[in-house]
Amino acid sequence: MKKSILLFAGIILMLGAKAQFPMGGPAKKMVTGRITAIILDSASKKPIDYATVSLIKSKDNKSVNGAVTDERGKVTLANVSPEEYKLSIGFMGYKTKVMVVKTTPEKPDLNAGTIYLSATAGNLKEVEISGQKALIENKVDKLVYNAEQDITNAGGDATDVMRKVPMLSVDVNGNLQMRGSSVRVLINGKPSGTMANSVADALKMIPAEQIKSVEVITSPSAKYDAEGSGGIVNIITKKKSAEGTSGSVNTSVGTRSNNGAFNLNAKTGRLSLTGSLGVNHAYPQNSKVVSSNMVALQTGGGTSLEQNGFSDWSRVGYNGSTGIDYDFNNYHNISTNLKINRFSNGGPGTTTSKVNGNLGSVITRDMDMGFNNLDWSVDYRKTSKKEGEEFSISAQLSTGRNTSDYSNKTVIQELPVEVFDSNTGKNNEYTVQTDYVYPFSKTTTLETGVKGIFRNIISTYSDVNQDFDYDQNVGAAYGVLGFKLTKKITAKAGLRAEYTKINWLSSTKVPFGNDYFNLFPSLILSQSLKGASTIKVSYNRRIQRPSLFYLNPFENKSDQFSILKGNPGLNPELSDNIEMGYSTFIKGSVINASVFYRSTKDVIESIITPLPVAPGAPQAFLTSYTNVGRSESYGMNIFGSYNPKPKWTLMANIGLNTYNVNNNSSTNAVNTGTFLNYTAFARSAYAFPGGWNTEIWGVINSPRRTFQGKTDAMYFYGGALKKEIWKKKATIGLNVLNPFSRDLVINTVNKGKNAQGDTYEQKTNIHYPLRSFGINLSYNFGKLKFTQPKKGVKNDDLKKEDQGGMGGVQN
């Protein structure tokens, strides 16, 4: 009762507080304007098209915007905040011209008039486009991969983009890990109901063309929800804003899947409207699955089951969103966004089995899973005349309905036995938070806020004895202070407090509960060195709460010899993380290196145990989840980007981390020993004259370990060719993935020993159809100027399951 009162008091404080800001301090919210100009040749008075125009802040010489002139010599720089700038104009064969311009809140728009460029004597080197972002940016608290600058991402989905992001590893089903540990995936800084159900499927539903950038946050401050042992991955989608109407259409057709994406944006004055739609259809393809279950008794003898079959799964779905953003004036803004996601996957499969070497049965199964989700958020933001001060209050509703239906027909000696079951899961999540940022000075800023998350999950089955009703409420408060220790050393220190209250009711009808309170400190120190180099040291504590997938005690028997069941008694994982990083820029090249240490207790992993069977009966295994023990991991990551020529880019990334789990319990002693995991990525891209671009890339993920077993290494490689057409308004391209092998063969072996000394082993061999060829087309219309995502709810506190292992292989 006492904790409930504390939670209620926190919510009341939330409604009366004076709000919070994004990591690194917010930019002051203004009604932005635009700067226009006409660029002409000083001698001929003719327009200069494709001249480079860059907008640079006068006070710190940082480039904030840029564009090129059109065929009339006209250029428009949109979304310009009131301030004094340097306008730099350059073009090959002309002298670069720099002039000072200024906009104000009273007059946010500026017409710079006609600007003349004078030709130079002799040849000049090509002018650099200062306004263009680098492919990789290193910031004090995160690494940013600007996907929109990678011109060969067309035709893929978010999974393909993730494979190119430094420090991330992606398995064959699309599950993400960072440095060998779980991550929390956000969309525009917010959770998504689709991600909550299946990260792998949700990523496949996002066309690559909709992604602006990917933020890899290895050292989240206390401002963030404490979820994610490895860190946070934040996918920023393209949100275009310009006076009038703009948009894009993208489509791709391939041998494995088809994607489509449509974006439409409109802005008039202070009102902005956005809308998007993405569709996906993956063809059903035959995935071969060979498995065996074996138990060797200590007293001699044992049982075995060998299975050989296939699954033929397909995927289809769509995602859409619409948003409204309105500036009342320079200091008040309100926005709302609605996202709808729907997709399904599944299909038939057939398996023949042998028991102790003799033909046992033929199993015909069918599986269908559907996911339907809606996310609705409303955000209010208030700034003041004091630079950097900001108050915000946000609310979000996430609701979903997920279905799972399976059937299998087992024929033993011509006697059929049929099993059917269905599950409907309903998920409702309500979030409200308020945040406040106060800058004491230009170098010292306070961030503070409170938050409440209220979840209810009801899972019902055709067998009412399997029903599961689960409530989880989380109350949180935090404070983060950013300041300068010296002229070159920046610090950010924070503390977050979270209280979690859990109640659940299963088939026994006996209520269960659990509650816990945790403190999460964080500290980041960053020092600027000579030559645009930076060194960073950080510490933070994180938590991984198990989601419904891990907790639900329902026995899924879609494969009656490999049963899946959750464990409602799981404890959350708690980890302490220390990281040291170094980054530098050398003549346009980027080098980023880091080392880390992570200590995690109550590590959650799957556990496979044999079920009791009658003599001569097929051997079945149960897969569930357990807090296996404590893990200590060391690792490093090195990323580099180099341009041998102006239009040739080479990139490489390698990450190493150790894996071990120990548990000295007398009833469940575990000591895995120490193993080395690695992930490596290499990419080469070249831009040819005439708008042609090419790319080849490859990824290697090392074998994946658990305390019971090992999954073999996986290799991905591909290439792309792209051509700009229709005056650079459109592009057409070809993409290929793993062209020299139809299947990616994945072997998994799990072993164990029970209290009686009996040993058991489960092997799985999957031939996953991965090879694909595709053609893609994209078309842009209107003025495509991007805006930063609005601040809002960010729930990132649940451990998500590894998808793709239930009921068949996902394509």
Side-chain angles (χ1 to χ4, degrees):
M1 181 65 182
K2 182 179 180 180
K3 297 295 180 62
S4 299
I5 294 174
L6 289 175
L7 178 61
F8 178 75
I11 298 170
I12 296 299
L13 287 173
M14 204 167 26
L15 298 176
K18 281 215 169 189
Q20 125 196 39
F21 72 80
M23 183 174 292
K28 186 177 181 181
K29 182 68 179 68
M30 286 290 198
V31 174
T32 58
R34 58 182 179 178
I35 296 176
T36 58
I38 301 292
I39 313 301
L40 302 180
D41 184 291
S42 62
S44 67
K45 303 300 187 291
K46 292 183 178 180
I48 302 176
D49 56 348
Y50 297 108
T52 302
V53 181
S54 302
L55 194 65
I56 303 165
K57 283 187 178 181
S58 296
K59 64 181 180 181
D60 55 16
N61 286 323
K62 289 185 178 179
S63 177
V64 296
N65 206 335
V68 295
T69 56
D70 60 19
E71 66 276 3
R72 297 172 297 171
K74 184 177 180 180
V75 65
T76 300
L77 303 176
N79 304 317
V80 178
S81 299
E83 198 165 333
E84 183 177 287
Y85 301 95
K86 296 176 184 177
L87 194 65
S88 176
I89 308 102
F91 190 66
M92 184 182 299
Y94 292 86
K95 294 179 181 179
T96 298
K97 190 166 188 175
V98 179
M99 58 186 296
V100 176
V101 296
K102 185 177 182 179
T103 63
T104 65
E106 293 76 18
K107 295 182 179 180
D109 296 332
L110 173 66
N111 184 352
T114 302
I115 302 173
Y116 296 97
L117 295 187
S118 302
T120 58
N123 295 327
L124 291 181
K125 293 183 179 179
E126 184 174 346
V127 177
E128 180 183 358
I129 302 177
S130 302
Q132 182 176 354
K133 290 184 179 180
L135 187 63
I136 303 294
E137 293 182 286
N138 184 60
K139 300 186 177 181
V140 64
D141 52 7
K142 58 194 170 187
L143 192 74
V144 181
Y145 168 72
N146 290 306
E148 65 178 346
Q149 300 298 332
D150 192 338
I151 55 178
T152 53
N153 274 329
D157 56 37
T159 304
D160 302 310
V161 175
M162 295 301 111
R163 292 191 179 111
K164 302 178 183 180
V165 179
M167 290 187 283
L168 297 185
S169 60
V170 187
D171 68 16
V172 68
N173 290 310
N175 300 302
L176 298 183
Q177 279 197 336
M178 186 192 304
R179 299 169 172 175
S181 191
S182 300
V183 297
R184 176 60 165 152
V185 181
L186 305 177
I187 304 293
N188 295 325
K190 297 182 180 182
S192 168
T194 312
M195 288 288 179
N197 287 296
S198 169
V199 171
D201 277 311
L203 291 176
K204 291 181 175 68
M205 286 303 302
I206 303 175
E209 290 85 355
Q210 287 186 337
I211 299 176
K212 176 183 178 182
S213 61
V214 180
E215 299 176 346
V216 181
I217 307 172
T218 60
S219 304
S221 75
K223 181 186 75 67
Y224 285 90
D225 290 334
E227 178 62 23
S229 297
I232 295 172
V233 174
N234 187 22
I235 300 173
I236 305 297
T237 60
K238 293 179 180 178
K239 291 189 176 181
K240 310 175 181 71
S241 179
E243 288 293 334
T245 303
S246 63
S248 63
V249 179
N250 305 276
T251 182
S252 63
V253 179
T255 57
R256 282 193 71 242
S257 64
N258 306 298
N259 298 308
F262 174 72
N263 294 276
L264 183 65
N265 310 271
K267 182 177 181 180
T268 174
R270 297 170 184 170
L271 178 66
S272 297
L273 305 174
T274 63
S276 67
L277 176 66
V279 295
N280 171 270
H281 176 232
Y283 299 113
Q285 295 196 44
N286 191 312
S287 300
K288 180 181 178 182
V289 181
V290 178
S291 64
S292 64
N293 297 339
M294 292 179 288
V295 174
L297 303 177
Q298 187 182 32
T299 56
T303 61
S304 68
L305 170 69
E306 297 179 10
Q307 293 182 286
N308 191 329
F310 72 90
S311 63
D312 202 20
W313 280 32
S314 63
R315 177 185 294 104
V316 62
Y318 65 85
N319 68 81
S321 68
T322 182
I324 302 174
D325 186 284
Y326 183 72
D327 292 308
F328 293 98
N329 52 38
N330 283 345
Y331 309 111
H332 297 270
N333 169 271
I334 189 169
S335 61
T336 183
N337 186 267
L338 180 67
K339 293 187 294 185
I340 299 176
N341 301 273
R342 176 183 173 87
F343 58 90
S344 62
N345 55 22
T350 299
T351 300
T352 59
S353 64
K354 291 184 178 181
V355 180
N356 297 327
N358 300 314
L359 184 62
S361 62
V362 177
I363 304 170
T364 303
R365 64 170 61 92
D366 200 0
M367 184 75 182
D368 181 56
M369 295 186 294
F371 304 86
N372 305 270
N373 299 279
L374 180 148
D375 302 317
W376 178 38
S377 62
V378 179
D379 308 304
Y380 167 73
R381 185 184 185 197
K382 179 184 180 297
T383 57
S384 72
K385 293 181 179 180
K386 186 177 182 62
E387 181 72 31
E389 185 178 17
E390 179 185 300
F391 165 81
S392 68
I393 186 167
S394 305
Q396 177 166 300
L397 162 67
S398 295
T399 181
R401 185 177 185 274
N402 312 315
T403 59
S404 179
D405 301 285
Y406 71 81
S407 66
N408 57 52
K409 180 180 180 181
T410 304
V411 179
I412 303 176
Q413 296 179 350
E414 299 184 356
L415 297 176
V417 177
E418 295 188 60
V419 178
F420 303 90
D421 209 341
S422 63
N423 165 233
T424 298
K426 296 180 180 180
N427 175 46
N428 290 308
E429 181 176 296
Y430 307 91
T431 304
V432 60
Q433 72 180 64
T434 184
D435 310 288
Y436 180 60
V437 181
Y438 183 77
F440 294 101
S441 66
K442 290 185 178 180
T443 59
T444 304
T445 304
L446 173 67
E447 309 171 61
T448 185
V450 291
K451 180 176 185 177
I453 308 173
F454 311 93
R455 297 186 175 101
N456 172 251
I457 300 172
I458 298 176
S459 189
T460 59
Y461 296 84
S462 54
D463 179 0
V464 296
N465 292 324
Q466 301 276 7
D467 291 353
F468 185 66
D469 191 343
Y470 178 83
D471 288 292
Q472 181 191 85
N473 299 320
V474 181
Y478 75 90
V480 178
L481 186 66
F483 56 95
K484 277 189 173 293
L485 287 174
T486 68
K487 186 177 180 180
K488 294 186 176 181
I489 299 179
T490 301
K492 181 175 282 191
L495 180 66
R496 185 180 187 90
E498 291 189 356
Y499 170 66
T500 305
K501 176 69 174 177
I502 297 173
N503 293 290
W504 55 277
L505 185 69
S506 67
S507 57
T508 62
K509 305 304 179 184
V510 177
F512 293 85
N514 187 22
D515 67 320
Y516 44 88
F517 176 80
N518 301 100
L519 293 175
F520 302 96
S522 67
L523 175 65
I524 303 174
L525 297 175
S526 177
Q527 180 176 3
S528 300
L529 305 175
K530 292 182 179 179
S533 300
T534 304
I535 189 169
K536 178 183 71 173
V537 178
S538 67
Y539 163 78
N540 60 67
R541 180 172 294 164
R542 310 288 293 164
I543 190 172
Q544 286 273 179
R545 297 182 185 89
S547 63
L548 178 66
F549 182 88
Y550 291 91
L551 300 169
N552 194 342
F554 169 71
E555 292 187 355
N556 187 312
K557 297 181 179 180
S558 56
D559 182 347
Q560 65 266 48
F561 301 123
S562 184
I563 301 170
L564 187 65
K565 178 181 179 180
N567 176 10
L570 288 173
N571 294 319
E573 298 178 349
L574 284 171
S575 65
D576 292 276
N577 306 273
I578 299 174
E579 178 187 3
M580 177 179 290
Y582 172 79
S583 64
T584 187
F585 300 85
I586 305 174
K587 295 182 179 180
S589 300
V590 179
I591 299 176
N592 181 281
S594 61
V595 294
F596 71 91
Y597 165 76
R598 179 174 60 247
S599 175
T600 307
K601 68 176 183 179
D602 289 327
V603 174
I604 298 174
E605 286 191 2
S606 61
I607 180 171
I608 298 173
T609 55
L611 295 172
V613 296
Q619 181 61 58
F621 277 74
L622 173 68
T623 298
S624 189
Y625 300 92
T626 185
N627 294 111
V628 63
R630 188 180 189 90
S631 172
E632 291 189 333
S633 179
Y634 300 85
M636 63 172 290
N637 190 88
I638 299 177
F639 168 80
S641 176
Y642 173 62
N643 292 87
K645 294 183 179 181
K647 295 185 178 182
W648 184 14
T649 301
L650 299 176
M651 290 172 51
N653 182 83
I654 183 168
L656 306 173
N657 69 275
T658 60
Y659 168 84
N660 71 77
V661 175
N662 293 281
N663 187 342
N664 296 323
S665 170
S666 58
T667 57
N668 187 29
V670 174
N671 188 347
T672 63
T674 301
F675 300 94
L676 181 65
N677 295 330
Y678 61 86
T679 178
F681 166 72
R683 172 183 182 267
S684 175
Y686 195 91
F688 290 94
W692 290 92
N693 297 276
T694 62
E695 173 192 13
I696 57 173
W697 59 273
V699 177
I700 302 174
N701 290 335
S702 72
R704 182 179 179 182
R705 305 278 181 171
T706 65
F707 85 101
Q708 280 189 322
K710 170 186 174 183
T711 299
D712 281 356
M714 290 177 286
Y715 309 86
F716 309 90
Y717 55 93
L721 175 67
K722 185 175 179 181
K723 175 70 169 69
E724 295 175 341
I725 58 177
W726 298 341
K727 297 181 179 181
K728 298 187 177 182
K729 286 286 187 179
T731 60
I732 187 169
L734 299 173
N735 294 76
V736 61
L737 176 65
N738 283 35
F740 303 116
S741 177
R742 176 190 178 272
D743 296 333
L744 179 66
V745 181
I746 308 169
N747 294 294
T748 301
V749 179
N750 291 293
K751 299 179 180 180
K753 179 183 290 188
N754 61 22
Q756 292 74 38
D758 303 331
T759 59
Y760 53 90
E761 179 182 84
Q762 184 181 67
K763 294 182 179 180
T764 304
N765 177 271
I766 300 174
H767 292 250
Y768 186 90
L770 192 64
R771 179 170 60 194
S772 66
F773 301 89
I775 182 172
N776 56 80
L777 175 67
S778 64
Y779 174 71
N780 297 323
F781 57 90
K783 298 290 184 180
L784 302 179
K785 302 295 182 182
F786 304 137
T787 61
Q788 294 298 322
K790 294 292 179 184
K791 178 177 176 58
V793 169
K794 300 178 183 179
N795 290 353
D796 36 30
D797 63 311
L798 290 181
K799 179 181 178 72
K800 302 304 172 188
E801 69 275 16
D802 288 339
Q803 299 292 331
M806 184 174 68
V809 179
Q810 299 183 26
N811 291 322

